[in-house]
Amino acid sequence: MQALYQLSYSPLRCAARFLQVFPVGFPGGDANITRSQGCTTKSFPICPTLLGKDPYGATTVPPVTALVLPRTHRRVSVSLGVCLLSFVSFWIAQRAAHVSMIDLLVYRAEGATVRAGGDLYALRATHAGLPTTYPPFAALLFTPLTLLDVATVRAAATLLNLALLVAFVHLSLLLVRRHARVEHSLWVAAGAVWCEPVWTTLRYGQVNLLLAVLVLWDLTRRPGHRWAGVGIGVAAAIKLTPALFVVFLLGTGLALAVTGGGWRPWLRAAATAVGSCAGVTALTAVVLPHDSRLFWTRMVFEASRVGHAEETANQSLRGVLARLLHTDDPGPWWVAAAVVAGATGLAVAVAAALRGRRALAVVACATTALLISPVSWSHHWVWCVPLVLLVWETGRHRVAALMALLFCSYALWWVPHGTGRPELHQNGVELALSALYAVVGCAFLARSGVRLWRTSRTA
């Protein structure tokens, strides 16, 4: 019986080799196998934990090992194919919709104004007469756009944003899982490109994905990395909203210093972010002194330059209150709501960070920034991607699916909008539809805060 078993066992291993289940020349393939009696191997370079033992103690090549890498390659190939198909379909759909990428054209006009030495904040670009709203450092970054014609700029911006979407999804998975497989990033990106915030970002040629990648590039690093904070600082110099992450880093560091925790990496990252933002802003002031002085002394306080507060695309608390109160200036009501939401959201973010829940902390901070900003257009809510992934990873799959459906429903555009400012006269159903993102954000912060409070009481 023993001889029969050996006869049936060893030839299978030999056949696997001679039939080249392992590719020739591939690490672990025929070129790297030293044959010996019983088809054992003495020099097999694949991890020893993947090797098996036959009944007689000889090390053998497990047939399943030969299939691991091909299966991995197949999964990546399939996910890459689906992702490319989704992106190509997206591109065709956007071209069929004749998207103007109007914000990209404004960026290009800003770059041209800088090169011509004109007044950046007197600029009115495109047929809509849109003004410059970003800090002058952003206009410096936009100057290369003037070297290309409009059609090439549009194509390049779309390709760049699609690449940034994949990077953003990958970093989001790293944030919520501490690891990210390539095929998972591609599958998620294939679906995320169709959600309203991402669609609108590419439709307008916006920079939201770039800013989000810069922020997550910092916050997914190992604690204490010497470059941690640079991404947040540069993002805040381009657009002010990411500056709230500096407050989050500072608050967490101070809280850890009080409780005796590891506070140095957090405060170092906050200082690096401040230094990076201040550094590029100072350099910009040397190149564009007039524009820098004008922005930081006057334009930064003129929220009305961005657009009407009540527009349905404005998914901040200010926009919700403007529509609810049927006014273009909610005034003290918005200030009070922003203070409460800001304090609550930062408290949730810091509390989550203190408990080692970095993903919750980062998403809570991003959601808070979107809620308290004077204007958070719907395309600013690309942070819905890590938000939905976080909820999914906590096991609340139905809630995550419902949230994904809401962000893919385009429901906020079902209400009357456009010329004539119809948002000032919305009924109850229209108010609810045009407040979806803000409601989701508030609900997320409230539930997260309650759970953290309950955890602290039972700890």
Side-chain angles (χ1 to χ4, degrees), residues 232-303:
I232 293 174
V234 172
I238 297 173
K239 200 170 185 177
L240 298 179
T241 308
L244 190 68
F245 284 97
V246 180
V247 181
F248 158 66
L249 293 172
L250 180 62
T252 303
L254 293 176
L256 286 171
V258 172
T259 58
W263 54 272
R264 293 182 185 275
W266 295 90
L267 293 186
R268 187 185 303 118
T272 302
V274 172
S276 301
C277 182
V280 296
T281 301
L283 289 175
T284 304
V286 174
V287 180
L288 302 172
H290 171 73
D291 294 322
S292 296
R293 182 174 61 254
L294 187 61
F295 178 82
W296 293 108
T297 59
R298 199 178 91 190
M299 297 303 172
V300 69
F301 303 107
E302 296 184 4

Side-chain angles (χ1 to χ4, degrees), residues 6 8 99 295 411:
Q6 188 173 15
S8 64
V99 295
F295 178 82

Side-chain angles (χ1 to χ4, degrees), residues 308-331 333-334 371 374-378 381 411-413 415-418 421-439:
H308 298 301
E310 78 279 359
E311 291 184 37
T312 190
N314 186 8
Q315 291 297 299
S316 69
L317 291 176
R318 181 168 175 257
V320 173
L321 287 172
R323 293 187 290 271
L324 180 64
L325 301 175
H326 306 293
T327 177
D328 60 351
D329 183 15
W333 293 103
W334 167 65
L371 289 173
V375 175
S376 290
W377 300 127
S378 64
W381 283 79
L412 62 92
W413 297 110
V415 305
H417 60 278
R421 305 175 72 174
E423 294 95 335
L424 291 174
H425 310 286
Q426 290 184 343
N427 58 36
V429 174
E430 293 168 347
L431 285 170
L433 289 175
S434 62
L436 277 178
Y437 295 0
V439 170

